[in-house]
């Protein structure tokens, strides 16, 4: 009789290995483009996949992406940052003032510095004095509104005679990626199913770019690397997951929370600078943030506190906003058809997994959306302008059950709690 028993071979079917994250993301993007291509073919709304819409989406998603990255850094350190909107507002004024004096690169620095000052106030209130994070964030937003209004009347009025706007700021020189831009434009003009749709979307991503766009997209992998592949990032995230355990291992929790919130404010201020340096704006305008700090926070939540998911959420909101600005109610009306197709795909997915209740819910939602699409010819422009906010609410409602925030985000922490 042998001392080692033989292992029995598994009798059930082998479960397939899950796709890596990048492959799942690529598959979702491919399915999304295919659905948009079908919608364009059946509705004739070519603006859904035009290069102009993609260009507008890139410029509109950039401030949302930067604000969302700011929220990511803060909440991974355990501090909820509702004040992103206020930090963006501070960043718009700082960018306009510095940009008017010294050019676009100074505008970036001015936006970061003024946003980081808002982050510093939030860190002092929440980390040092244990003020409720929501209360402090709202106060920062109100303070940002008041401070920028006062500074604008003090500094800009002698130049523009208008306290609500700054003088024109010098912008970055735009550039396109040689070869890709011309090739994508040629394919888009051929109006071939799927091929022209992909070319239009790709062309918008490589045409009329600015250094700020490149910086903004580069910050996504940079944030991922720093937070998940460095000692600094591990310590910062530990402060958001279990600060008591982190402190017991010698981590200065207060210091890392300050780092997280300061970086958060700087990124939000950079988002404000992106609004000021938008080629269609090039200056400070009172109220120009338009709630994008809150939408950035929603994009971060949609992305489950991960940089790649945050980028996807920002792209979704920026795309809807750019589409309604370029094509109005008719294009938003075509999006209802797209939403119907997405609901059908989701229903099929759940049926394949034998999850009958989610499949029935998805199919029912698709029927309701299609009924709305069929009953109207266009979406009123007044309603279409709120499409990004509506998409924010719907997406968050759907994604809420899959969210996993940092364990102690928003909770008060005091040094020595584990003793």
């Amino acid at each position: 009789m042998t001392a080692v028993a033989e292992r029995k071979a598994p009798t059930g079917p082998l479960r397939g290995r899950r796709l890596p994250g990048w492959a799942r993301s690529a598959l979702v993007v491919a399915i999304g483009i295919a659905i948009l291509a079908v919608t364009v073919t059946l509705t004739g709304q070519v603006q859904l996949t035009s290069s102009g819409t993609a260009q507008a989406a890139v410029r509109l998603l950039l401030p949302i992406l930067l604000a969302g990255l700011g929220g990511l850094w803060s909440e991974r350190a355990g501090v909820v940052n509702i004040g992103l909107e206020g930090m963006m507002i501070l960043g718009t004024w700082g960018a306009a003032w510095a940009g008017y004096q010294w050019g676009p690169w100074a505008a970036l620095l001015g936006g970061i510095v003024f946003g980081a000052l808002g982050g510093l106030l939030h860190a002092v209130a929440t980390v040092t004095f244990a003020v409720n994070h929501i209360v402090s964030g709202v106060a920062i937003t109100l303070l940002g509104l008041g401070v920028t209004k006062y500074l604008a009347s003090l500094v800009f009025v002698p130049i523009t005679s208008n306290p609500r706007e700054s003088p024109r700021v010098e912008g970055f020189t735009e550039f396109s990626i040689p070869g890709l831009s011309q090739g994508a434009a040629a394919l888009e003009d051929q109006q071939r199913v799927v091929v022209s749709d992909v070319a239009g979307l790709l062309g918008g991503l490589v045409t009329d770019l600015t250094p700020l766009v490149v910086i903004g997209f580069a910050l996504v992998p940079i944030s991922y690397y720093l937070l998940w592949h460095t000692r600094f990032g591990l310590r910062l995230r530990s402060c958001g997951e279990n600060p008591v355990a982190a402190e017991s291992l010698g981590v200065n929790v207060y210091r890392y929370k300050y780092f997280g919130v300061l970086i958060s404010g700087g990124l939000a201020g950079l988002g404000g600078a992106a609004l000021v340096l938008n080629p269609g704006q090039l200056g400070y305008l009172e109220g120009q943030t338009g709630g994008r700090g809150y939408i950035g926070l929603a994009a971060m939540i949609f992305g489950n506190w991960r940089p790649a998911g945050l980028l996807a959420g920002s792209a979704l909101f920026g795309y809807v906003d750019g589409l309604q600005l370029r094509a109005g109610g008719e294009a938003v009306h075509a999006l209802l058809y797209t939403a119907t197709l997405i609901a059908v795909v989701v229903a099929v997915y759940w049926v394949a997994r034998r999850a009958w209740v989610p499949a029935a819910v998805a199919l029912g939602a698709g029927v309701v959306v299609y009924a709305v699409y069929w009953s109207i010819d266009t979406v009123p422009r007044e309603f279409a302008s709120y499409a990004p906010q509506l998409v924010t609410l719907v997406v968050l409602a759907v994604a809420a059950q899959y969210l996993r925030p940092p364990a102690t985000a928003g909770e008060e922490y005091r040094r020595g709690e584990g003793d």
Side-chain angles (χ1 to χ4, degrees), residues 113-379:
V113 169
F114 272 74
L117 288 175
L120 178 61
L121 289 175
H122 190 50
V124 170
T126 56
V127 179
T128 302
F129 295 103
V131 175
N132 180 276
H133 297 194
I134 306 300
V135 173
S136 175
V138 172
I140 293 293
T141 300
L142 295 176
L143 182 65
L145 285 168
V147 167
T148 53
K149 183 174 293 189
Y150 170 74
L151 290 176
S153 63
L154 187 67
V155 177
F156 295 149
V157 167
I159 305 171
T160 64
S161 301
N162 188 344
R164 296 187 175 183
E165 65 179 11
S166 71
R168 184 177 176 82
V169 174
E170 179 187 354
F172 286 111
T173 301
E174 297 179 358
F175 65 93
S176 301
I177 298 179
L180 281 178
S181 178
Q182 293 84 348
L187 288 174
E188 183 183 7
D189 291 339
Q190 295 177 12
Q191 292 300 307
R192 297 167 60 186
V193 178
V194 179
V195 174
S196 294
D197 299 306
V198 174
L201 294 173
L202 177 62
L205 300 179
V206 298
T207 305
D208 293 339
L209 303 176
T210 67
L212 182 53
V213 171
V214 177
I215 291 171
F217 280 101
L219 284 173
V220 176
I222 290 173
S223 294
Y224 172 75
Y225 176 77
L226 291 177
L227 285 171
W228 274 271
H229 292 281
T230 66
R231 181 181 300 177
F232 170 79
L234 175 62
R235 290 178 176 178
L236 186 141
R237 287 189 296 116
S238 70
C239 295
E241 296 292 343
N242 194 331
V244 174
E247 184 184 43
S248 70
L249 294 174
V251 175
N252 189 327
V253 175
Y254 279 17
R255 178 187 300 167
Y256 281 92
K257 284 182 179 289
Y258 263 87
F259 282 151
V261 182
L262 281 171
I263 294 172
S264 174
L267 288 169
L270 186 60
L275 289 171
V276 170
L277 294 174
N278 187 316
Q281 178 66 48
L282 293 180
Y284 164 84
L285 184 66
E286 186 178 315
Q288 70 190 126
T289 56
R292 287 179 175 84
Y294 300 115
I295 297 178
L297 196 64
M300 177 204 68
I301 296 172
F302 166 78
N304 208 10
W305 288 264
R306 305 281 294 194
L310 163 62
L311 175 60
S314 302
L316 175 62
F317 304 141
Y319 172 77
V320 175
D321 201 8
L323 184 65
Q324 67 88 14
L325 285 174
R326 280 186 58 84
E330 293 183 357
V332 175
H333 179 252
L335 276 184
L336 295 175
Y337 195 93
T338 304
T340 302
L341 295 177
I342 292 174
V344 171
V345 171
V346 172
V348 171
Y349 169 79
W350 285 118
V351 166
R353 300 193 61 171
R354 298 176 183 268
W356 308 115
V357 174
V361 171
L363 190 59
V367 170
V368 171
V369 174
Y370 185 74
V372 175
Y373 169 80
W374 184 261
S375 62
I376 60 177
D377 295 327
T378 186
V379 175

Side-chain angles (χ1 to χ4, degrees), residues 11-57:
T11 57
L14 292 175
R15 181 174 295 179
R17 297 179 62 184
R18 294 184 62 187
L19 290 173
W22 65 266
R24 291 199 301 270
S25 300
L27 180 61
V28 170
V29 170
I31 293 173
I33 293 175
I35 291 174
L36 283 175
V38 171
T39 305
V40 170
T41 302
L42 296 178
T43 64
Q45 283 293 329
V46 295
Q47 289 294 338
L48 289 175
T49 55
S50 70
S51 57
T53 297
Q55 280 181 312

